[in-house]
Amino acid sequence: MNTTPKLADVAATPEAARLVGETLDNFRHRAREPGFPSSIKIGGVRFYNRRELAAWKRKRDGARNVR
């Protein structure tokens, strides 16, 4: 099984922040919270899996709508 991520499957930190609808500063703080999708560091850049971010965003938005 090949576990090498493709560029289309991951997003760099600034793009990942836009995907979940957060500012870059808020995104970086959220990334430290437990339960946040993990990142892959390549060189000096952190990449996040798009599917994991989408699932986290749905979970977060669902919790907002319940309140």
Side-chain angles (χ1 to χ4, degrees):
M1 184 171 151
N2 188 359
T3 59
T4 305
K6 293 183 173 80
L7 190 56
D9 296 336
V10 295
T13 303
E15 184 180 354
R18 285 191 301 270
L19 288 174
V20 296
E22 297 274 344
T23 63
L24 189 56
D25 287 337
N26 286 344
F27 182 83
R28 288 182 173 149
H29 287 286
R30 291 231 190 225
R32 297 182 187 123
E33 295 176 358
F36 195 82
S38 61
S39 64
I40 304 165
K41 191 168 186 180
I42 302 172
V45 181
R46 293 194 178 275
F47 290 89
Y48 295 86
N49 186 313
R50 291 175 187 269
R51 286 185 191 160
E52 291 177 6
L53 287 172
W56 181 83
K57 182 180 180 196
R58 281 192 304 273
K59 183 178 173 184
R60 180 197 65 186
D61 291 346
R64 284 182 180 174
N65 293 335
V66 170
R67 293 180 187 173

